[in-house]
Amino acid sequence: MDIKLKDLIEGKRSVILERWFDAIIETYPTDATGFLKKKQDRFANPVGHAISKGTEGILEVLVGEKELTEDLPFLNDIIKVRAIQDFTPSKAISFVFLLKTVVRETLEKEIRQNQIYDALLRFESKIDDLALFAFNIYVKCREQIYELKTDELKRMTYTLLKKANLMYEIPVPEFEIKDPNCNT
Amino acid sequence: MAKVEKVKTPKPEELSNISYHPPATDWMDTPTEFKPGTYCWGAKEKDLITLGLPNPRQWSPADEDWKVPEGWETTILDGIAERLSKYRSFKVFMDICVRCGACADKCHFYIATGDPKNMPVLRAELLRSVYKKYFTKSGKFLGRLAGARELDMDVLKEWWSYFFQCTECRRCSVFCPYGIDQAEVTIIGRELLNLVGLNIDWISGPAAACYMKGNHLGLEPHAITGNIETMCDDIEEITGIRVNPTFNRKGAEILFVTPSGDFLGEPGIYTCMGYLMLFHELGLDYTWSTYASEGGNFGFFTSNDTAKRLNYKIYAEAKRLGVKYIIGGECGHMWRVLNQYMDTWHGPADFLEVPVSPITGTRFENAKSTKMIHISEFTADLIKHNKLKLDPSRNDHLKVTYHDSCNPSRGMGLLEEPRYIIKSVCNNFYEMPENTIREKTFCCGSGSGLNASENMEQRMRGGFPRANAVRYVQEKHGVNMLANICAVDRAAFPALMDYWCPGVGVTGTTELLANALVMKGEIRRTLDIRLQDLPGKGGNE
């Protein structure tokens, strides 16, 4: 990443994170009391905690040297929460794009003065990549919700099926059969 | 032919266009939306007929018309009046709240959604506003200024939505300086809804099955005995010992009643195997009943009368069999009913004796009136008196944490016994953070009849604060097993753990005990209760 932009972002890291966090919390229109903004206790406010820890982690990766991969635990944590809340799919992952606006607004003057639009564009492309990963994670979470339903049904009926001889589990063999004709 | 309207595809900038403002409308003017995944199916006609409840018909919460009977407003208002005169607590809870907000952020549904109507104070206000309008002078004259509002169909739908988003876990009441029990407000709210036929399928179905067959799952006697026989086969494979339980045996000293979930689903059956092994090892003179085959009571989530009717069979069966007292299995709401309601409904059970452990001689004075004790009290007493031979190393592959099931912890103060058992049978036990356990325990998010499948998202939300604390100990200590003493927990937690903390299993406390229990004459154990190889014990791991 461009050194100059990196320095600028890191210089205003806490402001950017604060603004990004606030912008995300504002996607919860019903939270009129500001409960989700309270950060003192991760157990009393797990949603706020997931978002605040998650945004910190994501920003670190974005400005860091490491390559972006889908295996981003903090991205996962935020999306898991938003995937089961009252959001349409687009709104659920829109929080990623909010970072673009926040960075542009926070560093508007500095970017203009230093003429680093190219670097900004590259940084924003990285955010786009992140959004695609976010989309993958979101879909995975939603698929899991449906799997949970079927798994639960299986757990509920397992004994009955076994008892009614409707299901048979092949026992694990004690010794592996070494048959050269066998395709194992 | 009807013209098909073209769906307008939103532009990308429209999609990410987010309103940064709180709702423009006051809570009274914010209508309730019914989105799939966040509500349970409506009660079925056949089940309401079976239970003799009002207004049986086919309906769906997604429909505009809920087919409530004409004059339903009068039915509800008369229902409120009746309950105000009958239950002093209800009247006090309606009048006394000063809106201090101490309860507001204590509800797991509110914590996970930020939806103000899930604040306990506002959930109560949904009903209180109607109470004010029709039953207080200030509300009659000042109307909305005094927080009063008319009862209409939107209000009724709102009640249905939010009273079936409360799991009656009572965490909020722990923090209320006036001791307002929101669970009781929800209970009354659901009773009122039931007066016009508005229940959910997951409650009325099991309640109807229980009314006809004695248990929520509708298991007939041969299914119960058959399932337990299968468990006995598995126990024999694990221990080499044949356990021979008896059913409906007259003259037994003890009647054992457990939630029917333990007869069927995973991992409940393993807890049930634990009971069988423990009682066999003790040589306990006890019997199972295929009639009183349900400890739980989904009538409790319907109305006081329905709960009372379903509960009746427990004492009736104890009397018929001539037992001395009753032991109950691991269950949650079952214990709120047994501990706080059964004695008032059907007691005093003079035909029974105060429970005395035949092994230790301990007299359970706490159950002097109900004559029914919890399996954890019974087991903890055995361990305390050194009556069980235990090998906790068989649980060494497990790192266990304990979830205080809401009703036994807050409803009857059962906090130490399960912990004492777990610590005696496991070498690795880790507590979750202080503000998420004991009296302050977070609900599984599926209690009070909300553990259906169609509302999976709602369950994942409601259970998030609990799972969040489990995940903390999973990351910090490597916890891989969540113990509890509740059948709904055992049914609901596996899904919750899979979503939020993959890798954490779910177990009843008695299952852990059964793993560690050294039985007289047993073969060398290489398998655990789930028929899995016991690591480090010579299995094929």
Side-chain angles (χ1 to χ4, degrees), chain B residues 253-432:
Chain B
E253 186 183 354
I254 297 161
L255 167 66
F256 182 68
V257 179
T258 199
S260 60
D262 288 350
F263 297 142
L264 197 61
E266 282 194 310
I269 47 169
Y270 307 122
T271 304
C272 198
M273 285 162 70
Y275 306 142
L276 288 161
M277 289 164 65
L278 174 68
F279 296 157
H280 175 88
E281 180 61 15
L282 296 171
L284 204 67
D285 179 16
Y286 84 108
T287 189
W288 298 78
S289 167
T290 53
Y291 165 59
S293 49
E294 178 62 69
N297 191 329
F298 272 34
F300 186 54
F301 309 135
T302 304
S303 66
N304 186 53
D305 286 339
T306 316
K308 189 175 168 182
R309 275 195 289 169
L310 297 188
N311 174 259
Y312 177 74
K313 63 177 180 285
I314 296 182
Y315 278 157
E317 183 68 336
K319 197 169 194 171
R320 186 179 76 88
L321 298 176
V323 300
K324 285 187 183 161
Y325 65 94
I326 312 164
I327 297 181
E330 295 183 14
C331 185
H333 74 275
M334 160 179 169
W335 284 97
R336 187 160 188 211
V337 173
L338 300 175
N339 199 50
Q340 298 181 352
Y341 293 80
M342 180 163 73
D343 202 29
T344 324
W345 287 333
H346 302 299
D350 294 334
F351 57 93
L352 296 172
E353 294 175 15
V354 177
V356 175
S357 170
I359 317 297
T360 65
T362 300
R363 199 177 141 89
F364 291 93
E365 291 287 343
N366 56 318
K368 198 157 61 178
S369 191
T370 61
K371 318 286 199 304
M372 183 157 184
I373 53 168
H374 191 287
I375 181 79
S376 295
E377 301 175 86
F378 181 73
T379 311
D381 174 63
L382 292 169
I383 298 175
K384 183 89 183 164
H385 286 89
N386 224 0
K387 299 291 181 190
L388 298 177
K389 200 174 167 201
L390 300 167
D391 176 6
S393 76
R394 289 181 192 161
N395 284 320
D396 273 357
H397 57 299
L398 302 177
K399 291 190 172 174
V400 181
T401 192
Y402 175 67
H403 159 74
D404 290 270
S405 308
C406 305
N407 284 293
S409 63
R410 279 189 281 265
M412 62 185 289
L414 203 67
L415 304 168
E416 297 307 331
E417 290 86 343
R419 288 183 165 78
Y420 181 69
I421 298 169
I422 295 171
K423 286 179 193 164
S424 307
V425 301
C426 299
N427 288 322
N428 312 308
F429 174 69
Y430 303 93
E431 287 278 16
M432 284 182 273

Side-chain angles (χ1 to χ4, degrees), chain A residues 29-73:
Chain A
T30 52
D31 184 39
T33 59
F35 162 71
L36 295 175
K37 282 193 183 179
K38 289 181 195 161
K39 288 185 195 169
Q40 65 273 40
D41 188 332
R42 62 180 286 187
F43 302 107
N45 178 14
V47 175
H49 177 79
I51 294 173
S52 103
K53 282 282 145 218
T55 44
E56 274 174 39
I58 293 170
L59 190 64
E60 205 172 303
V61 173
L62 283 173
V63 296
E65 300 304 321
K66 265 187 24 203
E67 184 119 349
L68 270 186
T69 64
E70 201 171 319
D71 186 26
L72 292 170

Side-chain angles (χ1 to χ4, degrees), chain A residues 22-36 38 41-50 73-74 76-88 90-91 94-95 97-98 101 138 140-142 144-163 172-174, chain B residues 14-23 35 37-38 105 110-116 119 202 219 222-223 226-227 230-231 234 263-267 269-270 433 435-436 442 451-462 464-465 468-469 471-472 475 490-496 498-502 531 540:
Chain A
D22 288 350
I24 296 173
I25 295 301
E26 278 169 17
T27 62
Y28 294 83
T30 52
D31 184 39
T33 59
F35 162 71
L36 295 175
K38 289 181 195 161
D41 188 332
R42 62 180 286 187
F43 302 107
N45 178 14
V47 175
H49 177 79
F74 12 81
N76 198 46
D77 289 351
I78 298 186
I79 294 171
K80 249 189 184 173
V81 172
R82 292 176 70 87
I84 49 117
Q85 287 175 329
D86 229 350
F87 294 112
T88 55
S90 58
K91 285 233 167 102
S94 63
F95 74 93
F97 298 108
L98 292 175
T101 324
Y138 177 84
K140 223 184 270 172
C141 288
R142 297 298 310 178
Q144 199 190 353
I145 298 279
Y146 299 108
E147 278 164 19
L148 292 176
K149 291 182 193 181
T150 47
D151 289 349
E152 196 163 84
L153 197 70
K154 279 187 210 157
R155 274 194 298 273
M156 273 157 66
T157 49
Y158 169 75
T159 330
L160 269 193
L161 294 176
K162 211 163 89 172
K163 252 209 83 51
V172 183
E174 289 282 327
Chain B
E14 278 173 350
L15 282 175
S16 59
N17 191 9
I18 288 149
S19 157
Y20 292 143
H21 302 287
K35 291 186 189 158
T38 63
D105 55 356
Y110 176 67
I111 289 174
T113 59
D115 178 354
M119 289 179 182
W202 195 258
L219 299 175
H222 58 278
N227 280 7
T230 311
M231 293 181 207
D234 289 348
F263 297 142
L264 197 61
E266 282 194 310
I269 47 169
Y270 307 122
N435 54 348
T436 71
F442 274 120
N451 56 321
S453 285
E454 64 267 19
N455 61 335
M456 193 55 86
E457 277 146 274
Q458 188 190 55
R459 284 175 47 191
M460 292 302 113
R461 291 177 195 174
F464 178 41
N468 177 54
R471 200 171 143 197
Y472 176 76
E475 283 167 358
R490 287 191 284 279
F493 269 143
L496 193 76
D498 282 351
Y499 189 77
W500 293 109
C501 342
L531 294 160
N540 302 316

